[in-house]
């Protein structure tokens, strides 16, 4: 449950009322500084994908349920994308990675952004990336996929977000 608490703490940052890129420009926006130094990008990105993009990437129809939450329309499968600033993501990354190792059957470090990983088990998967564009935590649940398929789909979602 600590992971859910951490996500709940990050959610207000994702809902800061920004309406788009003009609201997100800050002194450090796009600076590319090392997020672990505490001088990274402090702007929170908006939801990076549409329901149509998510549907294409996951290979099944998904609906936009608001706040970067996508569902299968049946109340079963869901994808949640939580956004945070580069600095916030860098601050919580080690904790999230550690928790993933305790929760998921498989955790793989990736070379996306500054730091990233994908984790999966039989009923859900998670991906986290810290990048100059912002930080993203993706959680897929109840898609009826095996661990390898969760990993594959999460990698495709990360590629699309960082493109």
């Amino acid at each position: 449950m600590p992971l859910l608490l951490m996500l709940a703490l990050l959610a207000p940052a994702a809902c800061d009322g920004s309406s788009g890129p003009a609201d997100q420009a800050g002194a450090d926006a796009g600076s590319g500084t090392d997020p672990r130094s505490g001088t990274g990008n402090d702007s929170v990105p908006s939801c990076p994908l549409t329901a149509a993009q998510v549907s294409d990437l996951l290979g099944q129809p998904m609906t936009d349920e608001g706040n970067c939450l996508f569902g299968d329309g049946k109340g079963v499968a869901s994808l949640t994308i939580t956004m945070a600033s580069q600095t916030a993501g860098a601050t919580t990354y080690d904790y999230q990675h550690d928790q993933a190792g305790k929760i998921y059957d498989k955790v793989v470090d990736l070379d996306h952004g500054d730091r990233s990983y994908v984790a999966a088990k039989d009923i859900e998967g998670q991906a986290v990336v810290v990048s100059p564009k912002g930080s993203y935590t993706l959680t897929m649940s109840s898609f009826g996929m095996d661990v390898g398929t969760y990993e594959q789909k999460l990698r495709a979602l990360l590629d699309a977000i960082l493109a």
Side-chain angles (χ1 to χ4, degrees):
M1 289 301 170
L3 178 60
L4 292 176
L5 176 62
M6 191 277 313
L7 289 174
L9 293 173
L10 285 177
C15 301
D16 70 349
S18 297
S19 61
D23 292 331
Q24 298 167 358
D28 294 328
S31 66
T33 57
D34 183 354
R36 290 169 278 189
S37 70
T39 59
N41 185 345
D42 287 330
S43 63
V44 177
S46 58
C47 186
L49 300 173
T50 65
Q53 290 170 309
V54 169
S55 297
D56 287 343
L57 292 164
L58 296 181
Q60 72 178 66
M62 300 295 287
T63 60
D64 185 342
E65 297 180 359
N67 296 325
C68 220
L69 169 64
F70 303 95
D72 64 359
K74 301 172 190 166
V76 180
S78 68
L79 166 67
T80 304
I81 304 174
T82 305
M83 295 77 59
S85 69
Q86 178 184 23
T87 302
T91 302
T92 60
Y93 181 86
D94 289 333
Y95 176 78
Q96 284 183 281
H97 192 282
D98 180 60
Q99 290 301 303
K102 296 174 183 176
I103 297 169
Y104 295 96
D105 296 336
K106 181 178 182 182
V107 179
V108 178
D109 292 321
L110 304 174
D111 61 359
H112 291 67
D114 300 324
R115 301 173 80 189
S116 58
Y117 70 85
V118 64
K121 61 182 179 179
D122 61 345
I123 60 169
E124 70 179 347
Q126 178 186 72
V128 174
V129 63
V130 177
S131 78
K133 291 177 75 172
S135 299
Y136 303 90
T137 300
L138 292 72
T139 306
M140 291 178 63
S141 179
S142 303
F143 278 86
M145 300 174 177
D146 62 23
V147 171
T149 305
Y150 270 115
E151 180 182 350
Q152 175 190 17
K153 298 294 185 179
L154 286 163
R155 284 176 182 257
L157 289 163
L158 285 180
D159 288 343
I161 288 170
L162 295 177

